[in-house]
C-alpha cells in the first residue's frame, strides 16, 4: 500500500502528550504519531463496548425481533454471538499485528491489494455513518417513555408512526450536534465521557437483568414458542429475528480503530476487542431473555411495538423503570459518540494516505487536542442528513438500521476473506512480540477453521440481512424503494467508489503526461 508519509518524521519531545509507548509501532508502517496516545486498557474496552452499546441496540431493536420472531427469536442471539466471536478472534490477531487507525481499511489493504482495501474502507466508513444515524434514532424508543414532553412533534411516540419517526429524527439531530462538539474538543474529554458512560451502562444493564429475571411471569421454556410471530415457520422467525442480535453485536473492532491513541496497542487492542464483544453479548442475551420472561403479556401486541421500555415501566413501576430508562439515554448518547469517533478515525486513516476527496483537510490533526476535526463535522452532517429520511416515511427507521448492519458485515468479510487466503497460502505469520516482549495474540493451528467459519458466517448473514423481504421492509406496501433500500444503497455506494477511483486514476495519468508533453 502506498502511503503519504509527512516529510518531518522527527520524534516528539519527551514530555509531549503525543509521545508514549507504542510510537514505534506507527513508524514501522511509515506514519508519524499525531493522535494523542492517552487511552489505557479500560478506555480501549470502552471504545468497543460503547460502539456495541448493548442497552442502545437491544432497546432499539427488541420490538422488531419479537414482532417477527416471537419468543423463539431469543435463540438467534447465541448463534450470532458465536459467529461474531469467530470474526472478533480474527480481528484480534490483526489488531496485534497492525495497530493502526482505520483498522478495516488498513487490514484489508495489507492482506490483499490497495484497491480491494480501499473499497473495504469505503464501504466500512459509509456503513459507520449510517450506524451513527441509526444509533441517534434510538432516543425515540426511550425519551418519550420517560416524559411525554420529549415528544416534540405530534402525539404518537411509536417509531413506526409518522409522528414518532419525525420526532426521532429531530431528537437524533440534537444528539448529533452534541457528539460532534465532543469529537472536536479533546480525546481525553471523549475518553472520560466514554469511560463514565460505559460504567453507567454496565451497572444499568446488570440491574435491568436482575430486576427483569426476579419479576418473571413465565419460565424460560417459553423461548421455544413462536406464537405471535409475524414470520411463518421456525426457520423464518429465526432468520428475521436474528436482525436484533446482528445489529447489537457490531463495532467491536472500534478498539482496533483507536489503536493509535492506545498505550501498548499490540497487547491491549486484541484483549479489548474480545472482552467488549463477550461482555456485550452476555449482557444483551440476558436482557432479551429477561424482557421475554417479565413482559406482562406476550399476546397484547405491545411487546412488538413498544419493546423493552414497555416491560420496564409496566413490570418495575414508573419510578424504577424510568430511572433505568434514563441510564439507557446515557448509553445511547455515549454509543452515538463512540460510533462517530470510529467513523472519524476511518476517514482520517484513508485521508492520510491520500485516498479520499479533500484528503489534506480530512487528514489534518489539531496539535493541541489531538483530534481530526474535519472528519467529525463530515460524519455529523452526513448522519444528520440521513435522519431526514425519517420525515419521509416511518419505514426509513428499519431501512437505515438494516443497511448499516449489512455494510459493516460486508466490510468485515472483506477482511476475513483475504486473511483466509493468506493463511491457506502460508503467508500469515503467527509469531511476533508485543510492546512488553510477550508473544502476539494468535489462533495458532485453529486459525484456518476459525477463519473459514467466520467468513462463511459473515457472508450468509449479509445475504440474510440484505434479502428484500416485502413483509419486513415495506409492510404497508407502496414503497418499493424501502424494500430494496439496502441493496440500492450498497449499489450506489460501490458505484460512487468506482467513479471516484476512475476519476482519480485519470487525473493522475493526466498529471503525469503534462511534463512529458512539455519536454516533447
Amino acid at each position: 500500500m502506498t502511503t503519504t508519509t509527512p516529510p518531518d518524521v522527527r520524534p516528539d519531545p519527551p514530555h509531549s502528550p503525543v509521545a508514549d509507548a507504542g510510537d514505534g509501532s506507527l513508524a514501522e508502517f511509515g506514519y508519524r504519531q499525531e493522535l494523542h496516545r492517552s487511552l489505557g486498557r479500560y478506555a480501549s474496552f470502552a471504545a468497543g463496548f460503547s460502539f456495541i452499546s448493548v442497552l442502545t441496540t437491544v432497546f432499539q431493536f427488541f420490538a422488531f425481533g419479537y414482532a417477527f420472531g416471537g419468543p423463539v427469536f431469543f435463540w438467534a442471539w447465541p448463534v450470532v454471538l458465536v459467529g461474531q466471536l469467530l470474526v472478533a478472534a480474527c480481528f484480534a490477531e490483526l489488531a496485534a499485528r497492525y495497530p493502526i487507525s482505520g483498522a478495516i481499511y488498513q487490514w484489508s489493504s495489507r492482506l490483499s491489494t490497495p484497491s480491494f482495501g480501499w473499497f473495504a474502507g469505503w464501504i466500512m466508513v459509509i456503513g459507520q455513518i449510517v450506524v451513527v444515524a441509526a444509533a441517534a434514532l434510538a432516543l425515540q424508543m426511550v425519551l418519550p417513555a420517560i416524559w411525554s414532553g420529549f415528544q416534540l412533534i405530534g402525539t404518537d411516540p411509536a417509531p413506526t408512526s409518522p409522528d414518532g419517526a419525525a420526532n426521532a429524527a429531530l431528537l437524533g439531530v440534537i444528539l448529533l450536534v452534541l457528539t460532534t462538539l465532543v469529537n472536536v474538543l479533546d480525546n481525553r474529554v471523549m475518553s472520560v465521557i466514554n469511560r463514565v458512560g460505559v460504567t453507567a451502562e454496565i451497572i444499568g444493564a446488570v440491574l435491568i437483568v436482575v430486576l427483569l429475571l426476579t419479576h418473571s411471569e413465565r419460565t424460560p421454556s417459553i423461548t421455544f414458542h413462536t406464537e405471535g410471530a409475524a414470520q411463518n415457520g421456525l426457520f423464518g422467525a429465526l432468520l428475521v429475528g436474528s436482525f436484533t442480535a446482528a445489529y447489537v453485536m457490531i463495532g467491536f473492532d472500534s478498539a482496533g480503530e483507536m489503536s493509535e491513541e492506545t498505550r501498548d496497542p499490540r497487547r491491549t487492542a486484541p484483549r479489548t476487542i474480545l472482552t467488549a464483544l463477550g461482555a456485550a453479548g452476555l449482557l444483551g442475551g440476558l436482557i432479551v431473555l429477561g424482557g421475554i420472561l417479565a413482559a406482562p403479556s406476550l399476546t397484547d401486541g405491545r411487546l412488538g411495538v413498544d419493546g423493552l421500555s414497555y416491560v420496564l415501566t409496566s413490570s418495575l413501576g414508573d419510578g424504577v423503570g424510568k430511572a433505568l430508562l434514563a441510564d439507557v439515554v446515557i448509553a445511547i448518547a455515549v454509543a452515538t459518540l463512540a460510533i462517530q469517533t470510529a467513523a472519524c478515525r476511518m476517514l482520517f486513516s484513508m485521508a492520510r494516505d491520500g485516498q479520499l476527496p479533500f484528503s489534506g483537510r480530512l487528514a489534518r490533526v489539531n496539535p493541541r487536542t489531538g483530534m481530526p476535526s474535519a472528519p467529525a463535522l463530515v460524519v455529523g452532517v452526513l448522519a444528520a442528513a440521513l435522519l431526514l429520511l425519517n420525515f419521509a416515511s416511518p419505514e426509513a427507521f428499519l431501512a437505515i438500521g438494516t443497511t448499516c448492519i449489512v455494510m459493516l458485515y460486508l466490510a468485515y468479510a472483506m477482511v476475513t476473506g483475504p486473511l483466509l487466503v493468506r493463511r491457506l497460502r502460508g503467508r500469515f505469520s503467527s509469531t511476533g512480540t508485543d510492546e512488553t516482549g510477550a508473544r502476539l495474540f494468535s489462533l495458532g493451528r485453529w486459525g484456518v477453521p476459525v477463519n473459514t467459519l467466520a467468513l462463511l458466517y459473515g457472508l450468509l448473514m449479509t445475504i440474510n440481512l440484505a434479502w428484500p423481504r416485502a413483509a419486513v421492509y415495506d409492510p404497508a406496501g407502496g414503497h418499493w424503494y424501502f424494500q430494496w433500500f439496502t441493496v440500492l444503497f450498497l449499489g450506489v455506494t460501490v458505484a460512487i467508489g468506482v467513479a471516484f477511483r476512475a476519476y482519480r486514476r485519470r487525473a493522475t495519468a493526466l498529471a503525469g503526461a503534462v511534463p512529458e508533453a512539455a519536454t516533447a
Side-chain angles (χ1 to χ4, degrees):
M1 184 187 71
T2 302
T3 61
T4 53
T5 308
D8 181 13
V9 292
R10 291 172 295 175
D12 297 294
H15 300 291
S16 165
V18 177
D20 206 332
D23 286 12
S25 65
L26 273 186
E28 70 177 88
F29 297 114
Y31 297 119
R32 182 178 62 172
Q33 183 73 47
E34 294 182 279
L35 304 176
H36 292 184
R37 198 179 287 279
S38 59
L39 307 184
R41 182 179 300 177
Y42 189 69
S44 177
F45 166 82
F49 189 90
S50 56
F51 190 125
I52 300 171
S53 188
V54 63
L55 289 185
T56 301
T57 47
V58 172
F59 271 77
Q60 190 174 11
F61 262 69
F62 179 93
F64 171 83
Y66 185 84
F68 280 93
V72 77
F73 100 98
F74 164 77
W75 292 106
W77 193 277
V79 174
V80 172
L81 176 58
V82 170
Q84 289 295 70
L85 281 172
L86 296 172
V87 177
C90 295
F91 284 6
E93 283 191 306
L94 295 172
R97 288 154 182 78
Y98 306 111
I100 317 172
S101 291
I104 299 298
Y105 156 68
Q106 294 284 355
W107 297 343
S108 183
S109 296
R110 295 169 191 277
L111 293 169
S112 56
T113 65
S115 180
F116 188 84
W118 186 91
F119 275 101
W122 174 246
I123 291 171
M124 183 68 182
V125 76
I126 299 299
Q128 286 173 325
I129 292 171
V130 183
V131 179
V132 175
L137 287 174
L139 284 177
Q140 183 62 24
M141 298 295 296
V142 184
L143 283 179
I146 296 176
W147 179 48
S148 59
F150 287 117
Q151 186 65 33
L152 305 174
I153 299 176
T155 58
D156 189 349
T160 53
S161 70
D163 288 352
N167 197 67
L170 178 58
L171 294 176
V173 169
I174 294 172
L175 177 57
L176 286 173
V177 171
L178 298 176
T179 58
T180 301
L181 179 63
V182 173
N183 258 306
V184 300
L185 286 177
D186 192 296
N187 76 337
R188 286 169 294 187
V189 174
M190 178 199 67
S191 175
V192 169
I193 293 175
N194 256 349
R195 294 199 305 271
V196 172
V198 164
T199 302
E201 180 172 5
I202 292 174
I203 293 172
V206 171
L207 284 175
I208 289 173
V209 168
V210 172
L211 290 172
L212 288 178
L213 292 179
T214 54
H215 287 74
S216 295
E217 299 284 341
R218 53 196 63 85
T219 65
S221 62
I222 194 67
T223 58
F224 293 98
H225 295 214
T226 58
E227 286 84 352
Q231 200 73 13
N232 292 327
L234 175 61
F235 189 62
L238 286 173
L239 285 179
V240 180
S242 67
F243 284 28
T244 300
Y247 180 68
V248 173
M249 288 180 274
I250 54 174
F252 46 86
D253 54 293
S254 290
E257 290 283 1
M258 304 299 290
S259 287
E260 291 184 29
E261 294 154 87
T262 303
R263 294 188 291 268
D264 301 331
R266 294 183 188 272
R267 179 177 173 220
T268 301
R271 297 181 181 183
T272 52
I273 285 174
L274 292 169
T275 53
L277 176 59
L282 176 61
L283 284 174
L286 291 174
I287 291 173
V288 169
L289 178 62
I292 294 172
L293 299 184
S297 172
L298 299 182
T299 57
D300 63 0
R302 293 197 62 184
L303 198 56
V305 175
D306 300 325
L308 286 173
S309 298
Y310 151 69
V311 179
L312 287 187
T313 54
S314 58
S315 298
L316 306 180
D318 275 354
V320 176
K322 289 182 178 181
L324 292 172
L325 288 179
D327 188 65
V328 177
V329 173
I330 296 173
I332 292 171
V334 173
T336 305
L337 171 65
I339 300 164
Q340 185 176 8
T341 302
C344 291
R345 297 306 179 268
M346 179 67 76
L347 278 177
F348 164 74
S349 184
M350 295 182 72
R352 179 173 56 183
D353 287 351
Q355 298 295 313
L356 293 173
F358 311 107
S359 284
R361 179 62 181 163
L362 291 172
R364 194 174 302 164
V365 176
N366 186 315
R368 181 181 62 82
T369 65
M371 303 284 272
S373 302
L377 295 173
V378 169
V379 174
V381 169
L382 292 179
L386 275 172
L387 292 182
L388 299 181
L389 287 173
N390 249 37
F391 284 101
S393 173
E395 278 77 18
F397 168 80
L398 183 58
I400 291 172
T402 52
T403 296
C404 69
I405 316 172
V406 170
M407 300 285 281
L408 265 64
Y409 265 74
L410 182 58
Y412 288 174
M414 294 177 75
V415 172
T416 54
L419 177 58
L420 179 59
V421 172
R422 282 261 183 157
R423 290 187 197 277
L424 294 175
R425 292 179 176 175
R427 295 173 56 194
F428 183 76
S429 174
S430 59
T431 60
T433 58
D434 62 23
E435 298 85 358
T436 66
R439 290 191 61 184
L440 297 178
F441 176 85
S442 175
L443 291 173
R445 61 178 180 173
W446 292 99
V448 171
V450 168
N451 200 159
T452 301
L453 292 173
L455 177 60
L456 289 175
Y457 160 78
L459 293 175
L460 291 174
M461 185 60 78
T462 300
I463 295 171
N464 175 42
L465 295 167
W467 199 264
R469 302 173 177 90
V472 174
Y473 297 113
D474 187 24
H479 300 90
W480 65 268
Y481 43 88
F482 279 125
Q483 180 181 346
W484 291 88
F485 185 86
T486 299
V487 177
L488 292 172
F489 191 92
L490 179 58
V492 170
T493 299
V494 173
I496 293 174
V498 170
F500 171 70
R501 298 280 295 179
Y503 166 79
R504 190 164 176 266
R505 282 195 300 269
R506 179 177 173 79
T508 303
L510 289 174
V514 169
E516 297 176 9
T519 57

